[in-house]
Amino acid sequence: MIKAMRPDEVPHTLRRTRSSSSRKLTPIEAQALYRELERDAGFRQATLSGWDAGRQNSTDPRTAASILFLERSEGWEFRARGYLAEVGREEARMDAEELRASLGEAQSEVRLLKNQLVEQRRLAERSTRHRTDQLRRDLSRARERIGELERQVAEETRESARWERETNAAWDELTVADNRYDDLRKRYRLKTKPVSARSSAGSGGEVGFIRDPLEAARMLDQMVSYWEVGSDSQPERDEPRPKLLELPTGMDPRSGGAMQWVYYEAPRLILVVDGWNAAHYWNSHRRVPGKPDLGTIGFITTKLDNLAEYSIGRHQVLLYLDSRHVSGLDLDWDNRFISGRLTGFYVEDADDAIAREAAGRAGERVAVITSDNGLAERCRAHGAVILASEALAEWMASSPV
């Protein structure tokens, strides 16, 4: 209504509300409007005049209470309370109807859920019965299968016992035949005298002829088997054995990739390491001057131990060290030490020991780590694969273990 008034008819405090584009008052604006209507009788009269006749004659209790509030006639408060009580009753009736509607919807939903529960229970019972029947059938088949297997085991046990009895009887018969053979041989020798080669030659008899018929039969059987093979047949020649271990084609044995192949791809092998040679090349790789010490050997030992433990083939590592390079060793020093899958040896000549190791393992997959050309040739002659100490140094510099 205040939006339809002239600006000079609207109180100063309500002019912002009049210029607002909103069609609904906020609680704060409604309180400000109520205070102005309560305070300013002229504003109430102007508001009432702005209402049309139809609204003033409306039977709506809210509108009637509002008109009484604006007119302020005698006894208006009592009549306004009656209108407001009627509004409250109407709101209560509408709330009751909404509650009854919500209750009806809730009851319908409860009935639907009960029906769904009954249906789900029925399906669950049917599924349970079906599964129970299936389990019973499976159990029955399993019991039948167990019975069949027990019968088969019993039959095989009887068959095994029968074969054992027949085998024992055959051994007994063979023992009896051997005893009979020995007895006949003894009795025959008692009846006949052996003829020496010299007396047989003097009497014109056949030299070297075996008088024992059983021995002669065995000799004839051997001769016949020889003739069946053929005297002109050539003995079979052994074909050269294929190499048990080879580096992939194009791989440089001096590169770290060769050791990567040993760690990630190679099958289980015996890795024989020329210890002091590897230590020298490790110092050279790090550009450390001077001879390697036992600390360097300890580092290499740890790396090789981890290689053996975590490599794809879980290789066995043999580390050979010349004892003359180790100072301070006692005469009773143990020349062998073990660390995980690594075995180390202190020997007088590591080259000879490594060559002997390669020769003794000619039928196994062996890889030798050394940059000594002479030692490499000696080991290669026995089928060993040669990896350079440079490859080991490069791998240790960036190894994952």
Side-chain angles (χ1 to χ4, degrees):
M1 179 58 66
I2 61 175
K3 293 181 181 296
M5 293 181 179
R6 298 193 308 272
D8 56 346
E9 294 179 347
V10 179
H12 180 73
T13 56
L14 298 177
R15 289 180 181 178
R16 179 176 295 181
T17 303
R18 178 183 178 279
S19 62
S20 175
S21 60
S22 176
R23 297 180 61 85
K24 186 176 182 181
L25 297 178
T26 64
I28 295 176
E29 292 173 342
Q31 289 179 2
L33 176 61
Y34 176 78
R35 284 195 298 268
E36 291 296 330
L37 290 172
E38 183 69 22
R39 182 178 61 83
D40 191 346
F43 182 52
R44 290 199 301 271
Q45 187 61 37
T47 302
L48 183 62
S49 299
W51 285 11
D52 54 15
R55 179 177 295 182
Q56 292 182 4
N57 297 325
S58 175
T59 58
D60 181 29
R62 289 185 177 84
T63 304
S66 299
I67 292 174
L68 288 174
F69 173 75
L70 295 174
E71 288 179 347
R72 298 296 177 97
S73 59
E74 185 178 356
W76 72 271
E77 292 180 346
F78 178 77
R79 287 182 294 168
R81 289 193 187 96
Y83 286 129
L84 293 177
E86 184 178 351
V87 170
R89 288 193 297 271
E90 181 65 20
E91 290 179 350
R93 185 184 62 78
M94 294 177 64
D95 291 342
E97 289 179 357
E98 290 180 358
L99 290 175
R100 282 194 291 270
S102 299
L103 179 61
E105 293 177 357
Q107 290 175 346
S108 300
E109 187 174 358
V110 168
R111 287 193 295 271
L112 178 61
L113 291 175
K114 286 183 178 179
N115 293 334
Q116 291 179 354
L117 178 61
V118 172
E119 181 65 18
Q120 292 293 332
R121 185 177 296 172
R122 185 180 63 81
L123 293 176
E125 291 177 353
R126 185 173 65 182
S127 177
T128 301
R129 287 194 299 271
H130 175 72
R131 292 181 180 179
T132 302
D133 295 340
Q134 183 66 33
L135 288 174
R136 286 175 179 172
R137 289 192 294 270
D138 294 343
L139 180 60
S140 177
R141 287 195 296 269
R143 287 175 177 172
E144 293 177 358
R145 181 58 178 165
I146 290 174
E148 293 177 0
L149 292 175
E150 289 177 348
R151 288 190 293 272
Q152 291 179 4
V153 169
E155 180 65 25
E156 291 178 357
T157 301
R158 289 191 295 270
E159 187 71 13
S160 176
R162 183 177 68 83
W163 280 109
E164 186 175 358
R165 289 193 300 271
E166 292 183 0
T167 301
N168 292 333
W171 279 109
D172 293 340
E173 292 178 359
L174 182 59
T175 302
V176 172
D178 289 339
N179 294 335
R180 180 61 174 167
Y181 168 77
D182 293 337
D183 182 61
L184 290 174
R185 187 172 184 180
K186 291 178 182 178
R187 291 171 60 184
Y188 184 78
R189 286 181 177 178
L190 291 175
K191 292 181 179 180
T192 59
K193 293 181 180 181
V195 180
S196 63
R198 182 178 299 177
S199 61
S200 298
S203 60
E206 296 179 359
V207 179
F209 182 76
I210 300 176
R211 300 295 299 274
D212 189 339
L214 295 177
E215 293 293 339
R218 288 184 179 180
M219 184 184 70
L220 291 174
D221 289 339
Q222 294 175 0
M223 294 173 64
V224 169
S225 63
Y226 174 75
W227 290 331
E228 288 178 352
V229 172
S231 59
D232 56 347
S233 62
Q234 298 294 330
E236 296 182 358
R237 296 181 179 178
D238 293 333
E239 296 182 357
R241 296 181 180 179
K243 292 183 179 180
L244 298 176
L245 183 67
E246 289 183 335
L247 287 175
T249 304
M251 180 172 288
D252 186 358
R254 296 172 299 179
S255 66
M259 287 302 302
Q260 293 280 0
W261 173 78
V262 170
Y263 183 78
Y264 287 110
E265 301 180 33
R268 183 172 299 179
L269 53 83
I270 309 297
L271 191 64
V272 185
V273 183
D274 187 353
W276 290 112
N277 185 275
H280 278 286
Y281 277 90
W282 174 239
N283 277 0
S284 174
H285 182 83
R286 297 184 301 158
R287 292 182 172 83
V288 175
K291 297 180 179 180
D293 54 13
L294 289 179
T296 304
I297 294 297
F299 173 81
I300 295 176
T301 301
T302 301
K303 285 292 185 180
L304 292 173
D305 189 9
N306 290 338
L307 181 144
E309 180 67 23
Y310 301 111
S311 61
I312 188 68
R314 289 180 60 83
H315 311 309
Q316 180 182 356
V317 180
L318 306 178
L319 177 67
Y320 282 91
L321 299 164
D322 290 291
S323 58
R324 64 179 180 273
H325 295 301
V326 184
S327 60
L329 294 182
D330 297 330
L331 295 177
D332 57 349
W333 179 269
D334 188 1
N335 66 343
R336 181 173 178 267
F337 62 93
I338 298 177
S339 174
R341 297 182 61 81
L342 179 143
T343 305
F345 301 93
Y346 289 112
V347 295
E348 293 183 1
D349 191 324
D351 289 359
D352 290 344
I354 292 174
R356 287 194 301 270
E357 189 73 43
R361 296 180 179 273
E364 303 178 51
R365 288 190 287 262
V366 178
V368 177
I369 296 180
T370 184
S371 291
D372 186 329
N373 292 331
L375 176 59
E377 289 300 325
R378 294 170 65 184
C379 296
R380 194 179 287 112
H382 299 294
V385 169
I386 305 301
L387 303 175
S389 295
E390 298 98 307
L392 177 62
E394 184 177 341
W395 177 82
M396 289 192 299
S398 60
S399 67
V401 292

